[in-house]
Amino acid sequence: MTPPLQPLLHDLVGVVLAPTSVLSDAGGQIRPGVGVQGVFRADARVLSRAELRLDGRELEPIAHAPDGPHGARFVGLARWLGDPGPDPTVRVDRLRHLDGDGLTEEIVVRSTAAVPVRALLTVDLACDLAPIEVLKSGGSAPSLPAEAGPDGLTWQAGGTTVTVTGEDAAVADGALRWPIDLPPGGTATLRWHLLVEDPKAVVAAPAGPLPWSRPEVTAGDHRLTRLLERSLDDLQALRLTEAGDPDGTFIGAGVPWFLTLFGRDSLWAARMMLPLGTDLAASTLRVLARRQGTRDDPASGEAPGKIMHELRRHEFHLAGNGLRLPAAYYGTVDATMLWVILLHEAWRWGLPPERVEPLLPHLEAALGWLAESADPDGDGFVEYRDTSGRGLSNQGWKDSGDAVRFHDGRRATAPIALVEVQGYAYQAAVGGADLLEAFGRPGAQRWREHAARLAERFRAAFWVDGPLGAHPALALDAAKRPVDSLTSNIGHLLGTGLLTAAESAQVAAVLATPEMSGGFGLRTMSTTDAGFSPLSYHCGSIWAHDTAIVLSGLAETGHGAPAARLADGLLGAAEAFGYRLPELYGGDERTLLGRPVPYPAACSPQAWSAAASVAILRAVLGLHPDVPNGRLEVRPLPGLPFGPVTARGLRIAGATIDVSLDATGTAKVSGLPADIAVVAA
């Protein structure tokens, strides 16, 4: 018997306004028992069926498109109605919009027929309140009994109440029903509404305005502006707070599986969005600091000073693989260091001292974790191992079970010291030292010395010779052997300070090879490695955020040409995906289909994929602020690879600034505070 498989997502149409999201087919239908179609609120499916029919027949879908940041429009035909002949004369537009409490759908039936049109329109409904992890495991849940009212249906279970009402609708047999009677050329507009009451949800919609700016961007390459527009809509839609904390905004990781607080994902998204202001970074840091670990708990992975991985309403149990994660799970090796790095970078972008200072005790606790719990065997490297037997076996950003492989395809055994994690540790130690010194707290010299020792040990232990040249290994395994595959992870070292200039140039060279950069972005693993597969989750696919991180590091370390090539790959992928970059996609050659092959279970929209658009913009403009020292260094990508660019409405030190690159590649910055000077490279 074939075990249940995770549902495919690539051909579904998503609409999101966190914590609510909708996944339907291309015609707008939500079909029962078909994968993960449905309306979701936080971690539960609150509507498992919403099928529209005219006279018991389904429409023929012909088009769909976004309708604003939180909506979609579906167009279908009823060719059996209206005038005979080849041209359709009865069309139905289905407009779906999310609001703070649920969903509204408007159904517009238009006739251009010369004869009257009469029909019965029905919307069949069901609710199962299936937990998201059950659906991710390929499972399902039975439909709940519905209580019928005069104009709608209600379902209740576990404290959650789901209500659907139809304006002027009759209710029968689990469906809303409207008679349609159109004169020649007539139109009818019908509406139904979904309302969800879920007092046990751990996440909620945020209050107040966006905590970031929405810049106006023009570029010679219109793909860049289109990607930014769609991505900023999606980032707005992915905003969340913890229930009971309406001001603690962060970005939920992605639809449908991860629409909640994820330490790593939320931190990276906030970091990429620093050119739009520091408010999101400040609130993300504060939310995660409030849940910073205080005790040692092997079951949850919690440790003193450690930053959490993910938050759920209950245990997250994926059937079939033994994974049982507690509601608050700390099984991440990198989130703690990424928290420190974000605090340091937000300070450099102008986060005011009075907002930095309350976070300094959490900084010291995070550095304490780095000094102690992060290195259990005392060899000087940060490493991980799941000691519970129920958690994630790999705890870096590549967290699938087969993600850490040798060049010959063998899997590494834990404890594992990942390459990029050592770069994060170095950057966190140096950035933490800067903050401690700037705010008059002890320990700065200790952490600079820690970083220097780490760089020396790293240089001796991690470098290997591979088919494409020397490069850092993916990791060290339990026996301290270098895991010698060539992966995108090494690109995360660029810009951390761990590498010398010569080492950065060598990393840039191997990443620029066709074996790594021949697809629409950066492959997660080289085609020369035995574990490579273009549709492997972490061993050959392309992730938008991963590519954006690496191209940012390439740009920062002066390797503009490979950075521009990776950015061009992301823009090509964005065009193919309607400018909503999914979580990941296939790592095939660009020439294979002329467009990327979808990874069929990828989340979309997804936080750090959407935030990658801002990272590309920053790399193109070359913005490197150091507000505490009164500097803004501007180092645009050479050669204007995306034409002249103007960005109006970026933020540095709380000021709204404009940045432009003219046809000669000359940068101009206006609106900076008087105490910040522009320094050209």
Side-chain angles (χ1 to χ4, degrees):
M1 181 177 177
T2 303
L5 298 174
Q6 180 173 309
L8 304 186
L9 306 171
H10 66 286
D11 57 352
L12 300 182
V13 180
V15 180
V16 60
L17 178 56
T20 307
S21 60
V22 189
L23 291 172
S24 71
D25 70 14
Q29 299 284 57
I30 296 171
R31 303 179 187 278
V34 179
V36 73
Q37 293 184 24
V39 181
F40 296 85
R41 179 82 170 183
D43 275 346
R45 181 162 63 184
V46 295
L47 206 63
S48 54
R49 183 183 193 187
E51 293 181 285
L52 184 152
R53 292 180 173 82
L54 276 174
D55 288 338
R57 299 176 63 172
E58 292 202 37
L59 305 173
E60 295 176 276
I62 60 170
H64 65 84
D67 194 58
H70 315 304
R73 178 185 293 265
F74 304 88
V75 181
L77 303 176
R79 292 194 294 162
W80 65 91
L81 297 174
D83 294 342
D87 293 337
T89 57
V90 177
R91 160 180 166 160
V92 179
D93 283 36
R94 192 172 181 178
L95 287 79
R96 177 174 294 154
H97 285 273
L98 295 176
D99 56 36
D101 296 313
L103 172 150
T104 295
E105 193 162 281
E106 182 175 275
I107 302 163
V108 182
V109 185
R110 294 185 176 92
S111 172
T112 57
V115 299
V117 171
R118 295 182 178 85
L120 178 66
L121 189 147
T122 57
V123 177
D124 290 284
L125 301 161
C127 168
D128 59 8
L129 290 179
I132 193 72
E133 67 271 18
V134 170
L135 300 173
K136 192 176 192 299
S137 301
S140 60
S143 294
L144 298 172
E147 179 182 339
D151 61 351
L153 298 163
T154 299
W155 300 266
Q156 290 183 309
T160 300
T161 301
V162 180
T163 303
V164 172
T165 56
E167 295 181 10
D168 302 316
V171 181
D173 300 323
L176 304 177
R177 303 160 64 93
W178 292 268
I180 304 294
D181 191 353
L182 300 179
T187 298
T189 301
L190 316 170
R191 294 180 183 84
W192 61 272
H193 310 276
L194 169 72
L195 177 67
V196 182
E197 298 176 43
D198 185 9
K200 295 183 180 179
V202 295
V203 292
L210 282 177
W212 60 80
S213 69
R214 176 118 187 184
E216 296 178 10
V217 179
T218 58
D221 191 328
H222 298 302
R223 298 176 302 170
L224 178 56
T225 57
R226 290 170 182 163
L227 174 60
L228 278 162
E229 284 297 309
R230 184 69 187 271
S231 297
L232 290 171
D233 281 348
D234 285 338
L235 289 163
Q236 179 178 334
L238 290 168
R239 287 180 305 152
L240 282 169
T241 67
E242 281 196 79
D245 181 22
D247 298 323
T249 302
F250 57 88
I251 305 295
V255 175
W257 315 126
F258 309 121
L259 197 52
T260 186
L261 176 63
F262 268 72
R264 178 189 305 120
D265 301 56
S266 299
L267 287 163
W268 265 120
R271 184 175 170 189
M272 291 180 181
M273 292 172 68
L274 281 170
L276 311 185
T278 58
D279 286 349
L280 175 65
S283 62
T284 302
L285 289 163
R286 184 175 63 81
V287 168
L288 288 167
R290 191 173 59 241
R291 289 185 173 272
Q292 190 172 27
T294 59
R295 63 193 179 106
D296 287 304
D297 179 15
S300 68
E302 183 179 354
K306 195 174 186 182
I307 296 298
M308 189 179 65
H309 177 56
E310 69 180 277
L311 179 67
R312 302 284 184 174
R313 79 168 69 203
H314 51 224
E315 181 183 75
F316 190 83
H317 174 212
L318 287 181
N321 65 2
L323 195 68
R324 287 184 176 272
L325 308 183
Y329 180 57
Y330 289 76
T332 168
V333 72
D334 53 11
T336 308
M337 293 167 291
L338 292 172
W339 188 96
V340 174
I341 293 167
L342 177 60
L343 178 61
H344 180 250
E345 291 200 356
W347 176 60
R348 288 174 62 91
W349 278 88
L351 183 64
E354 63 269 20
R355 301 185 73 183
V356 174
E357 196 141 19
L359 295 170
L360 294 179
H362 300 282
L363 165 69
E364 291 168 329
L367 292 173
W369 174 84
L370 179 58
E372 300 186 18
S373 302
D375 181 17
D377 63 4
D379 69 342
F381 294 118
V382 179
E383 58 198 9
Y384 64 83
R385 180 178 63 182
D386 172 47
T387 59
S388 73
R390 321 190 314 167
L392 293 168
S393 57
N394 282 315
Q395 297 187 358
W397 85 259
K398 292 179 178 178
D399 57 4
S400 56
D402 64 349
V404 185
R405 295 185 173 199
F406 288 85
H407 173 66
D408 62 10
R410 289 175 296 123
R411 296 187 187 185
T413 54
I416 290 170
L418 286 171
V419 61
E420 78 274 19
V421 169
Q422 314 316 311
Y424 300 158
Y426 182 95
Q427 190 174 8
V430 173
D434 289 348
L435 286 164
L436 293 172
E437 185 173 75
F439 285 85
R441 300 174 88 102
Q445 185 60 28
R446 171 196 177 190
W447 286 106
R448 291 196 177 101
E449 292 172 356
H450 177 96
R453 290 193 300 271
L454 174 58
E456 184 178 345
R457 285 190 297 267
F458 180 89
R459 199 158 285 118
F462 268 83
W463 281 84
V464 297
D465 291 320
L468 303 177
H471 63 85
L474 167 58
L476 302 182
D477 73 354
K480 308 303 176 183
R481 294 172 299 190
V483 181
D484 56 348
S485 54
L486 173 57
T487 64
S488 63
N489 302 58
I490 67 173
H492 291 225
L493 300 176
L494 298 168
T496 63
L498 181 63
L499 303 178
T500 66
E503 290 167 342
S504 292
Q506 179 60 24
V507 167
V510 295
L511 293 180
T513 59
E515 291 83 355
M516 287 298 295
S517 295
F520 285 88
L522 184 67
R523 294 185 176 104
T524 44
M525 178 176 279
S526 164
T527 59
T528 65
D529 285 285
F532 172 82
S533 167
L535 287 178
S536 164
Y537 195 56
H538 287 132
C539 298
S541 61
I542 293 170
W543 288 63
H545 89 283
D546 183 39
T547 299
I549 290 168
V550 175
L551 75 86
S552 297
L554 287 166
E556 185 171 344
T557 52
H559 303 285
R565 175 169 174 77
L566 292 181
D568 180 71
L570 286 183
L571 294 177
E575 186 176 36
F577 289 114
Y579 295 99
R580 174 179 276 175
L581 278 170
E583 179 184 22
L584 71 156
Y585 44 88
D588 301 278
E589 289 292 324
R590 289 199 198 191
T591 55
L592 183 68
L593 294 176
R595 59 178 294 149
V597 174
Y599 182 84
C603 290
S604 180
Q606 208 257 4
W608 51 18
S609 292
S613 63
V614 185
I616 295 171
L617 177 65
R618 181 194 172 184
V620 168
L621 297 175
L623 302 179
H624 302 279
D626 183 1
V627 171
N629 289 308
R631 294 165 50 93
L632 170 63
E633 188 173 340
V634 182
R635 292 186 274 116
L637 283 182
L640 281 179
F642 306 103
V645 179
T646 298
R648 297 183 177 89
L650 302 178
R651 287 182 185 163
I652 293 179
T656 299
I657 70 164
D658 300 338
V659 183
S660 62
L661 302 178
D662 65 18
T664 68
T666 301
K668 180 181 178 181
V669 182
S670 61
L672 276 175
D675 58 349
I676 299 177
V678 176
V679 181

